[in-house]
Amino acid sequence: MKVGILGSTGSVGSQALDVIRKYKDQIKVQLLGASKLSENLINQIKEFKPSYVYVENTEEKSIDDTKVLVGEDGLKQAVGLDLDLFINAIAGIKGILPTYLLLKYNKTLATANKEAIICLGELLKDKYKKILPIDSEHSAIFQILKDSNQKEVRRIILTASGGPFVNMPAEDFENITVKQALIHPRWSMGKKITIDSATLMNKGLEVIEAHYLFSMPYEKIDVLIHPESIIHGMVEFVDGTVISNMSNPDMKIPISYALFYPERKFISDNYLDFTKIKSLNFLKPDTEKFPLLKLAVECGKKGGVYPTVLTVADEIAVNFFLEERIKFTDIHKIILETLEKFDYNKLDSVDDIFYIIDKTINLATEIARKYGST
């Protein structure tokens, strides 16, 4: 099997390479990609010896017999390669263009980039049936639904750990630090998604993503706080049966499932020991404390430009928080104000999507600077 990994130096990309190391006799990495030619990427090139590497900007032409593809033209060359599977592990809105091109060229895509699914959803939803989801929650639902008749589904349930602040009083949110927000109780992830988990925005985005990936109306998508993170997703059927997907929290499991689909492979001996599970708890999300979950679902239901504006404004606001320029509670305020002030409604083509993204970046940045100066 020939595989390409875009975003290979990030959290998901690195874990995908960990899985591939166990099965080097079955998988050949032909393409690696990252934003820059870092030491980490160079080490990956030396170890996996891909034929191609994609980076956004460099003057290098080749490294250890690996051809370097640069910029947007290089990206188009990369996604045009004849590979069995592409993994899009690029975080945030930078993953939108690769996703668009891969879907346009009808490539087999495994993706952890929910932003692209959300922003392109209105235009490319007919192409989503071939996508292999890597997010643990969507992989869980994908695995449960694969042999099911959608008419038999009453609802799908996405679980959330609740993040580090699920038990913190709302009045203390004003003083949350970046260091506190980056300590996730269950998962090891990149910084942006970790902050999104702390605000529950990540779960709101996952609701929109599930709507598109599974052609599921919003009325049939529920969210439950499940602090143990043992159950990653559930499907309730019309006869009352509920099927859940369970495992210890480990991103390598959904990554492996996407890599080898429809087969399952040994990853580690980190199996569930049911005798050590004292309880499984479930709570309704508190949308007063975590308003971004409710806001995200509202934007998903509105459709049109709203999911894209929401997604991009969130990325801008989270980056400002990570740079310690705004408060944790300002993230919601910046996103809400951006949505209220956004004044462009045309969405007929992919060009419109990228125009909306640029316009939102400028507007959200201007608004975030205002909060950062107070």
Side-chain angles (χ1 to χ4, degrees):
M1 181 197 301
K2 296 180 291 185
V3 171
I5 303 177
L6 297 172
S8 64
T9 58
S11 176
V12 172
S14 298
Q15 290 181 82
L17 290 174
D18 286 341
V19 174
I20 290 170
R21 283 187 184 94
K22 294 181 180 294
Y23 294 96
K24 277 189 173 181
D25 59 328
Q26 298 180 39
I27 300 177
K28 168 61 179 173
V29 178
Q30 290 280 53
L31 167 71
L32 293 171
S35 59
K36 60 183 179 181
L37 205 57
S38 63
E39 183 179 351
N40 189 5
L41 180 59
I42 291 172
N43 289 335
Q44 290 178 351
I45 294 168
K46 290 178 179 178
E47 178 181 358
F48 291 94
K49 298 178 173 56
S51 299
Y52 301 90
V53 62
Y54 160 74
V55 289
E56 289 181 21
N57 186 26
T58 184
E59 295 182 358
E60 298 289 339
K61 302 296 183 184
S62 64
I63 301 170
D64 292 345
D65 298 323
T66 295
K67 185 176 180 180
V68 179
L69 307 175
V70 182
E72 190 170 325
D73 288 340
L75 177 61
K76 290 177 180 177
Q77 286 180 264
V79 301
L81 295 172
D82 184 19
L83 305 182
D84 298 299
L85 178 70
F86 288 84
I87 295 176
N88 185 1
I90 299 172
I93 59 177
K94 283 188 176 181
I96 295 174
L97 180 58
T99 300
Y100 165 67
L101 293 172
L102 287 164
L103 292 174
K104 178 183 175 183
Y105 297 154
N106 293 312
K107 301 295 184 176
T108 302
L109 170 63
T111 185
N113 185 281
K114 61 177 63 67
E115 289 85 356
I117 304 299
I118 293 164
C119 294
L120 297 170
E122 294 286 317
L123 299 173
L124 298 184
K125 54 190 174 185
D126 292 339
K127 291 182 176 286
Y128 284 175
K129 293 178 182 178
K130 289 181 64 177
I131 288 178
L132 299 168
I134 289 178
D135 274 346
S136 61
E137 296 84 358
H138 297 89
S139 176
I141 301 301
F142 177 79
Q143 293 178 54
I144 298 168
L145 286 178
K146 69 171 188 167
D147 297 319
S148 302
N149 184 332
Q150 195 173 29
K151 292 180 181 178
E152 299 174 348
V153 176
R154 180 174 180 268
R155 60 174 175 156
I156 64 176
I157 302 167
L158 303 175
T159 56
S161 70
F165 309 125
V166 66
N167 296 315
M168 179 183 284
E171 55 266 27
D172 294 341
F173 276 32
E174 283 276 330
N175 300 316
I176 287 173
T177 66
V178 173
K179 185 177 180 180
Q180 287 175 310
L182 288 175
I183 302 173
H184 195 280
R186 296 291 175 185
W187 295 94
S188 175
M189 306 178 291
K191 289 184 178 182
K192 197 267 182 182
I193 192 173
T194 302
I195 301 302
D196 280 346
S197 179
T199 64
L200 287 196
M201 169 62 99
N202 188 51
K203 207 52 51 177
L205 296 177
E206 287 180 3
V207 169
I208 303 174
E209 183 182 9
H211 166 74
Y212 288 122
L213 284 178
F214 307 118
S215 300
M216 195 68 61
Y218 286 101
E219 293 71 25
K220 289 189 174 185
I221 307 172
D222 283 346
V223 172
L224 286 176
I225 303 298
H226 170 50
E228 294 82 7
S229 296
I230 297 295
I231 295 178
H232 307 297
M234 295 181 275
V235 177
E236 182 179 46
F237 295 90
V238 292
D239 64 355
T241 298
V242 178
I243 299 178
S244 67
N245 175 284
M246 306 172 69
S247 71
N248 283 316
D250 186 349
M251 275 301 298
K252 292 175 188 175
I253 296 174
I255 290 170
S256 169
Y257 190 73
L259 270 170
F260 294 102
Y261 178 79
E263 295 182 60
R264 297 182 188 274
K265 296 285 188 178
F266 171 79
I267 302 303
S268 72
D269 57 3
N270 183 28
Y271 297 116
L272 277 176
D273 184 343
F274 288 93
T275 65
K276 293 182 179 179
I277 299 174
K278 302 303 181 185
S279 63
L280 297 175
N281 296 282
F282 302 94
L283 307 165
K284 283 187 177 181
D286 185 342
T287 53
E288 294 296 319
K289 269 174 53 172
F290 300 99
L292 283 174
L293 171 58
K294 182 179 179 181
L295 181 63
V297 175
E298 289 173 350
C299 286
K301 289 179 178 178
K302 287 181 180 178
V305 303
Y306 287 95
T308 300
V309 176
L310 171 88
T311 301
V312 179
D314 174 61
E315 185 155 326
I316 297 299
V318 168
N319 285 339
F320 266 73
F321 174 68
L322 286 169
E323 293 169 1
E324 300 183 337
R325 298 167 68 182
I326 61 170
K327 296 178 181 178
F328 183 81
T329 48
D330 290 336
I331 296 174
H332 169 251
K333 296 173 185 176
I334 291 165
I335 296 168
L336 184 61
E337 188 172 336
T338 303
L339 286 162
E340 290 172 346
K341 291 185 175 179
F342 196 81
D343 61 357
Y344 183 85
N345 294 309
K346 184 169 177 275
L347 183 54
D348 299 322
S349 69
V350 171
D351 288 340
D352 290 332
I353 292 285
F354 290 113
Y355 177 79
I356 292 164
I357 290 170
D358 288 341
K359 188 175 176 66
T360 306
I361 289 172
N362 292 333
L363 177 59
T365 300
E366 179 184 336
I367 293 169
R369 283 176 179 156
K370 179 184 68 177
Y371 280 89
S373 63
T374 57

